[in-house]
Amino acid sequence: MFAVDLRSDTVTVPTPEMRAAMATAAVGDDVYAEDPTVNRLQETAAELTGFEGALYVPSGTMSNQIALAVHTRRGSEVIVPEGAHIYEYEPGAMAVLSGALPRFAPAVRGAPTAEGVRAAVRRSPHQAPTGLITLENTHNLAGGAVVPLATQAAIQSVAREEGIPIHLDGARAFNAATALGVGIADVTRGFDSVSICLSKGLGAPVGSLLLGSRAFLAEAHRYRKLLGGGMRQAGVLAAAGLIALTRMPAGLAADHARAKRLAQALAGADGITLDPARVETNMVFLEVDDAAGLVQRCAARGVGVSSMGPRTVRLVTHHQVDDAGVALAVDAIAAAAGSMARAVRA
Ligand code: TLP
């Protein structure tokens, strides 16, 4: 559809190695926990992250929402950083599925402060009790920003002191680990549950992993079935997931470097406002007068970009975007933005 598709890292298709593994995967009925490939994927994820176990689920949204359902009671508040995917892009699921309400913690570049989170906790019997604290790392709407590990630790301390569970939407936790130069377990440590997506920068066609304790996962398993997420011979998909989890993280640094180059090349282009210093991982956010107009004009030039607001456009690099793709995208985006800016001035 596009010569270069920067709309999201979700657009990645399985690699030839994934296709081969999928074709020969050993399978069983995963609702009975009898799919050997799903079991291996879950065990591998648990080992890598230091959790007692993991549950393979169809999507990041289901993973987050199962965690929310397990941790909260109806009428609870969930503290979310401003702009969190768990509220902004999971169409009211916390209200529909769990009867939960969001309370937003002010966040700079996706990172709330420990004081901000503590101030958001409700303890009075006259108010909705806080049932869960969530963080997102990397933070999508903050431009793929990395939440510092010290911030995570400080907010985890608040959660422990207040006796409230804490969940990480780690859809792109491997991007955070890569940017920080640490292992994945350093990013996922200290949370009661973590959701990791295999279908974003890691390139698997489908699937997320929900990490937690055995007791948490027993309940999570029940909610996965309740939501229709029991996938039977899912080993066909999990086989690609295993490659995503073990081989694909090594390529993320190259995605980050390409995002940086994309940003540096577009900074200062006519009609575009952008600070390359803000590019920390595989996302570039730029400001233009008319985001929808730029999306359309880029599409006409064969480049997929997405609008994240009336003036905000997002570009996401991934393993299917090479250096030639970056060059092509820079030319197309600069030309499209330039022609729009000239039209406004004329
Ligand atoms: N994000 C998608 C869109 O929904 C915006 C994207 O293109 O980036 N957590 C985070 C932080 C995410 O960015 C996403 C997907 C999810 C959860 C949900 O994952 P899926 O799409 O598998 O339900």
Side-chain angles (χ1 to χ4, degrees), residues 16 37 41 43 54 64 74 80 83 92 107 115 121 126 165 203 208 246 249 262 275 281 295 331:
T37 311
L41 174 64
E43 283 153 21
N64 281 333
R74 299 188 75 72
V80 299
E115 300 72 47
V121 173
H126 304 289
S208 294
T246 54
L262 195 54
D275 179 3
T281 57
V295 169
D331 288 348

Side-chain angles (χ1 to χ4, degrees), residues 149-233:
L149 296 186
T151 303
Q152 289 198 161
I155 295 170
Q156 287 164 352
S157 295
V158 172
R160 274 194 301 277
E161 284 157 28
E162 297 284 348
I164 298 168
I166 181 163
H167 169 77
L168 176 69
D169 178 353
R172 297 185 180 82
F174 278 96
N175 294 87
T178 301
L180 291 167
V182 300
I184 187 66
D186 294 317
V187 177
T188 58
R189 182 169 299 125
F191 291 97
D192 295 289
S193 56
V194 174
S195 169
I196 282 181
C197 289
L198 303 171
S199 62
K200 313 269 175 316
L202 301 185
V206 173
S208 294
L209 287 156
L210 181 56
L211 306 154
S213 68
R214 275 186 207 96
F216 169 85
L217 291 169
E219 272 298 284
H221 195 266
R222 191 170 71 80
Y223 273 106
R224 186 183 69 174
K225 191 72 175 69
L226 182 152
L227 293 171
M231 290 191 289
R232 308 297 176 184
Q233 285 71 38

Side-chain angles (χ1 to χ4, degrees), residues 8 10 59-61 64 85 90 136 140 169 171-172 200 314:
S8 182
T10 61
S59 69
T61 301
N64 281 333
H85 191 283
E90 299 188 13
E136 183 176 317
N140 188 342
D169 178 353
R172 297 185 180 82
K200 313 269 175 316
R314 183 184 74 167

